[in-house]
Amino acid sequence: MKTRIILPDTEGISEAGAILRSGGLVAFPTETVYGLGANALDTVATKRIYEAKGRPSDNPMIVHVASIDMLNEVASDVTDEQKAIMSKLWPGPITFVLRKNPAVPDVTTGGLDTVAVRWPSRREAAEIIEAAGVPIAAPSANLSGKPSPTTFEDVAEDMDGRIDAIVKGERTAIGIESTVLDLTSEVPTILRPGFITKSQIEEAACCEVQYDPSLFKKPGADDFHPKSPGMKYKHYAPKAAVRIVEGSKDAVCKAIAELEAESVSNNLRTAVLDYMGNGDKAANNFFADLRQCDRDGVDIIYIAAYDWDEVGFSVMNRMVKSAGYDIVNV
């Protein structure tokens, strides 16, 4: 398959929409990461996403919309309380889990009776969805398990020859995937942390919000059916081995220096990632840095653990998954 490169101008947006409407696959930029889109209501098209990514079929996809009418096509029994929360946080980098409209194929939701829905704020993304005229299922536009793409070049590395087209936009502004909030539980529950934090959601929703307990555990049982992407399988992994070092700042710096020296003595090419307590910088750069390490032929990456707070919690969620939960406490 020859993958077309499309510019995000008026003509390109129209072309991308036409490809999606006809059952094709298009990668496009959002404010979080690049997404790989297909018509969410088309079973055949959505199956092609799983094939292109090598994605497990029980891993649900996020459906992207650009209007309330589209939301109603994919979600049912949306309450006034749910609408009030969504109205304060949409469009933006947050996904809501709602009851599924029967029109949505099971392949799109991983066989669940719920659907994860997002209204992106990035102009190109919203215009492409509007041009398609249908809700768009769009996980991140990378091979399954690899770091999510934040640039056009990242997408091309993984998807050239696998999909119909890539929209060539600028680098994504945020750099990690959306927060996923389950609104079908008694207490709104964060299934995947992201740039929109727990405290921000509580302020907007004027109610308590909790984290899903699975966020604090290593993914395990094969019979566990995730309600959100990122809950079960190994994610965000570069070719290099990744090891996280956690402890006091001085102890972490000392331990990483010793580990790096040992690796170098064993003829291993190393890299160290330390974002110096800057949550926005960590979110924006982490996936890009992992991919650059692969391009540089790095064998092992040492990461200074981040504070488990606000955006830092979201970044650490990705870091521990990229490391396969290989954490050294010092």
Side-chain angles (χ1 to χ4, degrees):
M1 175 186 294
K2 180 172 177 58
T3 299
R4 282 179 273 177
I5 306 304
I6 298 175
L7 296 177
D9 53 19
T10 301
E11 182 179 346
I13 295 293
S14 178
E15 182 181 359
I19 294 170
L20 290 165
R21 192 166 53 252
S22 65
L25 301 187
V26 178
F28 59 91
T30 76
E31 70 274 28
T32 56
V33 298
Y34 273 72
L36 176 55
N39 182 349
L41 305 180
D42 183 332
T43 298
V44 175
T46 307
K47 283 182 177 178
R48 289 185 62 203
I49 292 180
Y50 288 104
E51 294 166 1
K53 284 177 60 71
R55 181 184 178 94
S57 61
D58 68 339
N59 199 7
M61 297 190 197
I62 292 173
V63 178
H64 292 63
V65 301
S67 68
I68 295 300
D69 286 342
M70 279 191 185
L71 170 65
N72 292 332
E73 287 186 63
V74 298
S76 62
D77 303 320
V78 182
T79 67
D80 290 340
E81 291 82 1
Q82 291 170 338
K83 291 176 183 176
I85 295 172
M86 290 187 286
S87 69
K88 293 180 179 179
L89 296 169
W90 264 0
I94 185 166
T95 295
F96 297 102
V97 174
L98 303 162
R99 293 297 172 196
K100 183 178 79 168
N101 187 311
V104 182
D106 285 345
V107 67
T108 301
T109 62
L112 299 173
D113 62 359
T114 55
V115 61
V117 191
R118 184 163 99 82
W119 186 337
S121 60
R122 182 158 175 167
R123 176 192 62 81
E124 299 101 310
E127 290 182 353
I128 287 168
I129 298 165
E130 290 170 353
V134 293
I136 301 299
S140 54
N142 55 286
L143 292 173
S144 187
K146 289 188 65 176
S148 297
T150 58
T151 67
F152 161 78
E153 290 79 8
D154 294 343
V155 180
E157 279 182 356
D158 285 7
M159 291 294 150
D160 188 27
R162 291 173 171 266
I163 63 177
D164 297 286
I166 304 172
V167 176
K168 186 178 182 180
E170 298 295 326
R171 178 172 171 161
T172 61
I174 291 175
I176 58 173
E177 305 87 350
S178 62
T179 305
V180 178
L181 184 70
D182 184 2
L183 292 180
T184 67
S185 53
E186 186 173 341
V187 177
T189 301
I190 295 173
L191 304 181
R192 181 177 72 185
F195 199 73
I196 301 295
T197 64
K198 180 175 180 288
S199 62
Q200 289 173 321
I201 297 169
E202 288 177 332
E203 182 178 355
C206 299
C207 68
E208 177 191 358
V209 173
Q210 65 185 7
Y211 287 116
D212 189 279
S214 68
L215 291 174
F216 303 94
K217 301 176 183 176
K218 184 176 180 178
D222 291 337
D223 61 354
F224 169 63
H225 297 287
K227 294 182 74 173
S228 164
M231 293 187 73
K232 180 176 181 181
Y233 298 98
K234 185 177 180 182
H235 281 68
Y236 323 123
K239 296 175 185 176
V242 178
R243 176 167 289 183
I244 295 171
V245 183
E246 187 171 39
S248 68
K249 183 176 180 179
D250 289 344
V252 166
C253 291
K254 180 181 178 182
I256 287 179
E258 292 172 351
L259 289 166
E260 186 178 20
E262 180 182 354
S263 296
V264 170
S265 70
N266 290 322
N267 297 315
L268 296 176
R269 192 165 187 175
T270 67
V272 176
L273 302 183
D274 182 353
Y275 300 103
M276 303 297 291
N278 187 326
D280 290 359
K281 178 182 177 182
N284 192 248
N285 291 339
F286 180 56
F287 288 145
D289 288 343
L290 291 184
R291 283 182 171 267
Q292 188 59 50
C293 285
D294 276 350
R295 296 182 187 113
D296 293 341
V298 169
D299 298 303
I300 185 165
I301 303 167
Y302 295 108
I303 300 177
Y306 205 84
D307 293 336
W308 289 81
D309 183 41
E310 296 293 335
V311 175
F313 178 78
S314 304
V315 177
M316 276 298 295
N317 172 264
R318 275 69 172 179
M319 287 180 175
V320 297
K321 291 179 185 295
S322 74
Y325 294 80
D326 184 359
I327 303 174
V328 178
N329 290 290
V330 295

